[in-house]
Amino acid sequence: MSFYLDYQAAKPVDVRVVSEMTMYLNQKFANPSSLHCEGDEATDALSDSRQKVADFINSPNPDSIIFTSGATESNNLAIIGAAMRNQKKGNHIIISEIEHISILNIAKYLERQGFKVSRVPVDQYGIVRLDKLARLITDKTILISISTASNEVGSLQPIGKISDIATKNNILFHTDAVASESVIPLDVQEIPFDLVTLSSNDIYGPRGVGALYLKKGVRVNPIIIGGGQERGLRSGSENVPGIVGFAKAAEIMKAEINNDAERLKILRDKVIKGILESIPKSYLNGHPELRLPYNAHFRFDYIEGESLILSLKDENVAVATGSACSSKTLEPSHTLIAMGLLHEEAHGSLVVTLGRYTQEKDIDKLIEVLPNIVKRLRLLSPLTPPDLIKKYNEVNE
Ligand code: PMP
């Protein structure tokens, strides 16, 4: 059995969600577009699910929820859809330097289509510089897209203030809420977002389902054309079992979010304290307080994140280095570089992310095995300074 500490990359589906979904796979399997009774049942399940996801973010209007195949598609629909819809008004979009890879690549795509994209810098903690954001706005700016929190280092973004800036300047504001949706309640009536990306798996629902919230009156162009489902904004037969699962996960999350967050914060703080106190030259990346309750992101001098992960794998501990979405490249994390870290510093990172089923024994295991792994790797590393090697060897004697 593994000590799983990689909840940011994937979460298990809650058993309560699985049992709700099963019936829609093999019994209530009809297509909501069909006119028979079974089709009506599927339509009802879809409406009920739309209402539950709307309630999850306190949306007054269930029709504001457009179901998609996940957060990547929601980000595409929000940003490309808004850009195409508003290109007569302007061609300038603002994102941050530390957005999720899906948003960074959408921005590059739009640049190739003739749009201009500005990337707001972040401070040393990975928090968006509001002063710089205000200065980037022009009369051609049509959209600001900044996530609620960094999916890598966990820093919480000042989304209320960003929303104020967008509203004051009459610019659409999109936020990718995936990183925070399992721990911070989102209320679209409190902060008047125009567009919000949600993901099912990030709240313990099935993967391959998500949603885009569109404030009433906000218009985007569809990016998937076909039979006109989801108000014409997302064609394709609806994934009813997935959507039902997503909605159940949202209902559970709404009821349990504060308890989950409080419990995770205690575990997270124990990991942070345990690691920083037992390993010399170790540091916490991201903000010490303004961070996701489930995220602990570390950096260790003189060693590489990949070798740490492989050594932890031998101990059955599952963690990540940098962002899971870009772990296939050997490039250092764009987020850490944007925060001002040197390449070699960024490479020595380890991300610990906790979730609903994390137990104290999981983090105790990490705290128990990591100091010796770091020590072993440092004793082998040509970068470790002689005084640290001497210190390690003295302890051995
Ligand atoms: N946005 C964020 C913040 C993410 O962490 C992820 C990945 N979990 C995505 C978007 C993309 O999600 P998906 O791969 O489910 O489309």
Side-chain angles (χ1 to χ4, degrees):
M1 219 252 333
S2 130
F3 300 90
Y4 186 79
L5 298 170
D6 193 17
Y7 274 79
Q8 163 63 34
K11 293 183 175 63
V13 179
D14 192 300
V15 286
R16 295 167 286 182
V17 170
V18 177
S19 60
E20 190 92 356
M21 286 173 69
T22 323
M23 196 168 43
Y24 290 90
L25 288 165
N26 59 1
Q27 291 173 43
K28 300 187 174 189
F29 54 82
N31 192 318
S33 298
S34 301
L35 297 178
H36 43 62
C37 294
E38 285 80 358
D40 291 348
E41 241 174 24
T43 302
D44 289 348
L46 210 52
S47 309
D48 185 47
S49 300
R50 208 179 298 284
Q51 184 65 56
K52 283 181 182 154
V53 175
D55 289 345
F56 177 54
I57 56 169
N58 201 23
S59 164
N61 179 10
D63 287 341
S64 287
I65 303 297
I66 305 297
F67 289 115
T68 65
S69 67
T72 299
E73 188 190 320
S74 299
N75 285 339
N76 274 266
L77 178 57
I79 303 173
I80 299 177
M84 296 303 176
R85 182 82 189 192
N86 291 290
Q87 55 187 323
K88 286 208 181 94
K89 275 194 215 150
N91 67 344
H92 180 231
I93 289 163
I94 301 176
I95 64 170
S96 85
E97 277 188 342
I98 62 160
E99 289 307 304
H100 183 260
I101 187 88
S102 59
I103 293 183
L104 296 180
N105 282 337
I106 291 166
K108 282 189 200 156
Y109 167 79
L110 285 174
E111 281 175 325
R112 291 195 294 273
Q113 306 302 311
F115 287 87
K116 299 218 164 0
V117 180
S118 302
R119 294 160 180 82
V120 200
V122 294
D123 66 14
Q124 59 175 319
Y125 297 118
I127 294 179
V128 163
R129 297 270 311 267
L130 287 176
D131 54 330
K132 302 266 182 188
L133 169 65
R135 270 184 254 146
L136 288 172
I137 293 172
T138 72
D139 57 357
K140 294 269 182 288
T141 311
I142 49 174
L143 176 71
I144 297 174
S145 177
I146 293 177
S147 301
T148 51
S150 159
N151 64 299
E152 286 191 54
V153 293
S155 313
L156 305 179
Q157 303 302 338
I159 44 170
K161 291 191 177 132
I162 298 171
S163 166
D164 289 345
I165 293 173
T167 310
K168 209 171 74 197
N169 290 281
N170 200 21
I171 299 166
L172 291 175
F173 178 34
H174 165 246
T175 196
D176 175 337
V178 168
S180 67
E181 64 183 18
S182 65
V183 281
I184 301 173
L186 195 71
D187 184 335
V188 296
Q189 295 192 56
E190 194 182 304
I191 301 182
F193 302 102
D194 294 295
L195 300 144
V196 179
T197 288
L198 298 170
S199 143
S200 157
N201 185 236
D202 286 79
I203 52 170
Y204 308 93
R207 235 183 285 182
V209 192
L212 180 67
Y213 160 83
L214 266 127
K215 189 166 78 185
K216 197 162 189 243
V218 171
R219 304 246 181 280
V220 296
N221 282 3
I223 52 167
I224 296 179
I225 315 294
Q229 291 89 343
E230 297 296 295
R231 291 170 41 207
L233 288 175
R234 201 286 177 179
S235 287
S237 300
E238 299 88 343
N239 170 8
V240 178
I243 289 170
V244 166
F246 177 19
K248 181 68 184 173
E251 188 182 46
I252 296 169
M253 195 81 253
K254 191 173 169 67
E256 299 182 2
I257 194 164
N258 291 328
N259 278 352
D260 274 12
E262 254 168 61
R263 196 183 74 86
L264 291 175
K265 191 165 177 290
I266 293 168
L267 292 176
R268 179 203 68 186
D269 290 345
K270 184 173 178 188
V271 181
I272 294 176
K273 194 162 178 283
I275 300 291
L276 296 185
E277 281 182 357
S278 62
I279 302 180
K281 305 272 181 197
S282 62
Y283 314 89
L284 182 72
N285 291 323
H287 200 280
E289 281 112 39
L290 299 175
R291 67 183 307 123
L292 292 167
Y294 65 78
N295 174 300
H297 196 300
F298 301 101
R299 180 172 99 242
F300 304 95
D301 282 350
Y302 321 124
I303 51 180
E304 299 243 314
E306 282 76 15
S307 36
L308 273 176
I309 301 230
L310 295 177
S311 300
L312 284 165
K313 193 172 175 180
D314 291 339
E315 297 281 351
N316 262 335
V317 180
V319 287
T321 181
S323 160
C325 307
S326 42
S327 64
K328 288 200 174 68
T329 74
L330 287 176
E331 286 298 301
S333 143
H334 66 279
T335 300
L336 297 177
I337 298 300
M339 286 161 59
L341 263 64
L342 301 172
H343 279 225
E344 57 269 30
E345 292 173 324
H347 274 303
S349 289
L350 182 83
V351 196
V352 177
T353 48
L354 318 174
R356 189 174 277 164
Y357 308 101
T358 306
Q359 292 170 14
E360 197 133 9
K361 69 170 176 47
D362 301 315
I363 59 170
D364 286 347
K365 174 76 179 178
L366 178 75
I367 296 169
E368 179 202 321
V369 299
L370 192 59
N372 272 334
I373 291 176
V374 171
K375 178 178 155 186
R376 184 171 51 76
L377 294 173
R378 279 180 175 166
L379 287 173
L380 294 171
S381 165
L383 301 172
T384 312
D387 58 331
L388 185 59
I389 296 197
K390 193 164 160 251
K391 221 187 260 171
Y392 273 136
N393 285 332
E394 274 165 12
V395 178
N396 273 349
E397 280 161 11

